[in-house]
Amino acid sequence: MATIQSVLRKKPNSAGLYPLAIRITKNRKSSYLFTGQYIDEKYWDKQSRRIKKSHPNSARLNNLLSQKLAEANEKLIESDNENIDHSVAKIKKRIIGKNKLDFFSAGEIYLANLLKNKKFDQHYNQGRRLQVLKDFLNRNHLPFSDLDVSLLKDFKAHLRYERVVGERTAINYLMLIRTIYNFARKEFGVDDKNYPFGKGKIQIKFPESEKIGLNIDEVLLLETSQDLSEAQQHAVNTWLLSFYFAGMRVGDVLKLKWSDFKDNRLYYRMGKNQKLVSLAVPDKAKVILAQYKKEKKDKDGLVLPFLKETNLKNQKKVLTRIKTITRNLNRRLQIVGKSLGIEKKLSMHIARHSFGNISGDKIPIQMLQKLYRHSSITTTVNYQSNFMHKETDEALEKVIGF
């Protein structure tokens, strides 16, 4: 006889939240049906196997658990009435059912989890990509059995030649589809037999992207630029701070506080991966910081003026504001670049490429890994290979320099 219970699994996600699941047990073997919902462990009542009332969404989540338990028990009773001794895996498959969950439903659960984990930027971008797929298909229901190689090839062609996006952008759409499919396989037991990714099917391969940074002369032009408007000078200062701090990402530059600076060092946590960074403050950066220190009101105040009217506790609003500010900065940088005769497209992101370009072959790759805060040295090697030309240039010259 199989038993079915609601449980809180002991495998937290990256946000430290635990998944709610339905456990099916038979002959001491267990399998799990995941609800796609996560909670803090403190809200789980082990005795009653329910979410405590202190959780802000306890009623809704307990209703969801009750519904899932009722559906599972109904299928279990049907299985028992057939007098067939099913394994726990077959019972789970029967409970899920072939058409229980479609791709877009799984996508909505995936997006909801991004919101719960406060990944607002990802939620916004991935939500838009899912909508593009819905518009392409002109429907809001997509069984996993329909999501085959042929459909994905047609969708990629639509992206490339009708929406006219780049190869890398098209791959980002396919990556999202694969991520949601894998999420549904893991959390809801979606059948693998129609899985459209892998060898001989759809393979995810990112094309090499061109990374071009400014050279020393071009950075000097920015450092010595004159007669700029106030807005343009703010943009140049922001770019230079990013460059001086090893290609610091624009969101991190905009959120710099005076309290991040101690004993002539900068201490901050990267917004992208929450890694801690400590860098010496270069003299060139001190000159720029001194310009803004005149407006300093308290030690926890922001260095740059762009986010001063934004509620920093509201991460969603902060990310939205950073997007808008970055667009404005890039627009002003392009005007400055044109006036200085810089032919490369000047943007905040190119500050990181410029640091890589000027460092080139000068700095050991292990040190660059520390400066970039890459988890893997392979990432650093792949990134820096865009800017390390000395050996290949010398090799070329040895062949043709006769």
Side-chain angles (χ1 to χ4, degrees):
M1 180 71 180
T3 60
I4 295 176
Q5 294 177 317
S6 56
V7 295
L8 190 69
R9 293 286 279 148
K10 298 298 182 182
K11 295 179 181 179
N13 61 13
S14 57
L17 301 178
Y18 293 79
L20 291 168
I22 305 298
R23 182 175 65 199
I24 310 157
T25 304
K26 185 176 182 181
N27 297 331
R28 297 183 180 180
K29 292 183 179 180
S30 294
S31 189
Y32 297 86
L33 299 171
F34 290 92
T35 64
Q37 304 296 318
Y38 294 77
I39 64 169
D40 193 306
E41 190 176 20
K42 68 181 181 181
Y43 292 118
W44 181 248
D45 187 330
K46 292 181 181 178
Q47 287 189 326
S48 66
R49 298 187 178 279
R50 292 172 64 80
I51 295 97
K52 295 177 182 178
K53 290 183 179 180
S54 54
H55 189 283
N57 292 317
S58 61
R60 182 177 65 82
L61 291 175
N62 281 323
N63 284 338
L64 174 66
L65 282 177
S66 298
Q67 179 186 342
K68 296 293 182 185
L69 282 168
E71 291 174 358
N73 275 304
E74 183 180 346
K75 294 294 182 181
L76 184 59
I77 291 169
E78 289 178 7
S79 179
D80 287 342
N81 287 340
E82 291 175 359
N83 241 349
I84 300 173
D85 188 21
H86 287 311
S87 67
V88 69
K90 288 185 177 180
I91 294 171
K92 176 180 176 179
K93 189 172 182 179
R94 179 157 192 164
I95 291 171
I96 292 171
K98 290 182 180 179
N99 301 311
K100 191 72 177 174
L101 188 79
D102 82 307
F103 175 80
F104 288 133
S105 297
E108 291 304 317
I109 297 171
Y110 172 76
L111 290 176
N113 286 340
L114 289 179
L115 268 184
K116 286 175 190 172
N117 294 322
K118 297 184 179 180
K119 296 180 178 179
F120 303 114
D121 213 19
Q122 286 187 49
H123 178 268
Y124 174 78
N125 292 329
Q126 307 294 45
R128 291 184 66 180
R129 287 174 183 146
L130 264 185
Q131 188 58 51
V132 169
L133 177 59
K134 287 180 181 179
D135 293 342
F136 166 70
L137 297 172
N138 196 27
R139 54 174 162 154
N140 293 317
H141 180 75
L142 178 62
F144 282 94
S145 57
D146 289 357
L147 191 57
D148 56 15
V149 172
S150 176
L151 185 150
L152 291 176
K153 285 183 177 179
D154 288 345
F155 180 53
K156 185 180 179 183
H158 167 76
L159 293 170
R160 295 285 282 117
Y161 305 114
E162 293 186 43
R163 292 184 65 87
V164 197
V165 306
E167 177 69 15
R168 186 177 181 89
T169 301
I171 293 296
N172 284 336
Y173 279 86
L174 296 179
M175 272 197 69
L176 171 63
I177 294 170
R178 186 180 68 178
T179 298
I180 293 173
Y181 208 128
N182 288 340
F183 168 74
R185 292 164 72 198
K186 178 183 176 183
E187 302 287 2
F188 301 101
V190 168
D191 203 324
D192 284 350
K193 69 179 181 181
N194 297 310
Y195 191 63
F197 298 97
K199 190 175 180 180
K201 300 179 182 180
I202 298 293
Q203 291 186 294
I204 304 293
K205 291 183 179 179
F206 280 106
E208 290 188 29
S209 58
E210 187 178 52
K211 292 180 174 65
I212 299 176
L214 301 191
N215 57 38
I216 291 175
D217 291 336
E218 290 163 333
V219 175
L220 283 170
L221 284 174
L222 287 177
E223 289 181 336
T224 57
S225 57
Q226 297 178 348
D227 301 322
L228 303 181
S229 70
E230 183 179 359
Q232 290 169 354
Q233 189 62 62
H234 281 317
V236 170
N237 288 346
T238 307
W239 191 97
L240 288 172
L241 284 175
S242 170
F243 172 74
Y244 294 151
F245 289 118
M248 189 180 191
R249 291 178 175 83
V250 60
D252 294 328
V253 179
L254 296 175
K255 290 187 285 187
L256 280 176
K257 295 180 179 180
W258 292 112
S259 56
D260 295 330
F261 295 91
K262 301 177 183 71
D263 300 325
N264 289 320
R265 295 192 69 82
L266 166 64
Y267 299 87
Y268 78 100
R269 192 178 289 277
M270 293 173 68
K272 182 178 181 181
N273 52 27
Q274 296 301 298
K275 289 183 179 178
L276 287 169
V277 180
S278 172
L279 296 169
V281 180
D283 289 338
K284 288 183 175 183
K286 290 177 184 177
V287 173
I288 294 177
L289 293 171
Q291 298 174 31
Y292 293 98
K293 210 158 193 176
K294 300 169 187 175
E295 303 297 323
K296 178 181 175 182
K297 293 181 180 179
D298 60 80
K299 67 174 184 177
D300 291 320
L302 291 165
V303 173
L304 297 173
F306 305 103
L307 289 170
K308 286 191 174 179
E309 302 302 319
T310 305
N311 179 6
L312 297 181
K313 293 181 180 179
N314 189 326
Q315 293 185 44
K316 191 173 183 179
K317 283 189 177 180
V318 170
L319 286 169
T320 302
R321 281 289 297 141
I322 286 175
K323 283 178 179 291
T324 303
I325 293 165
T326 304
R327 281 196 298 268
N328 291 334
L329 289 172
N330 288 341
R331 203 158 39 234
R332 289 159 187 160
L333 286 169
Q334 286 165 26
I335 294 170
V336 172
K338 189 175 180 181
S339 69
L340 295 175
I342 297 174
E343 295 183 359
K344 295 165 187 170
K345 186 177 180 181
L346 194 55
S347 68
M348 283 304 305
H349 191 63
I350 206 177
R352 191 168 181 83
H353 297 337
S354 300
F355 185 87
N357 185 43
I358 293 172
S359 64
D361 309 85
K362 300 174 185 176
I363 302 174
I365 203 72
Q366 292 85 354
M367 186 54 64
L368 281 171
Q369 181 190 4
K370 289 183 179 180
L371 287 170
Y372 290 143
R373 284 301 187 270
H374 288 155
S375 298
S376 167
I377 198 165
T378 304
T379 304
T380 310
V381 170
N382 290 338
Y383 181 81
Q384 202 62 17
S385 64
N386 294 277
F387 313 111
M388 297 172 73
H389 309 301
K390 183 180 177 182
E391 289 184 2
T392 52
D393 291 349
E394 289 176 352
L396 179 63
E397 185 59 29
K398 283 180 181 179
V399 175
I400 66 171
F402 51 82

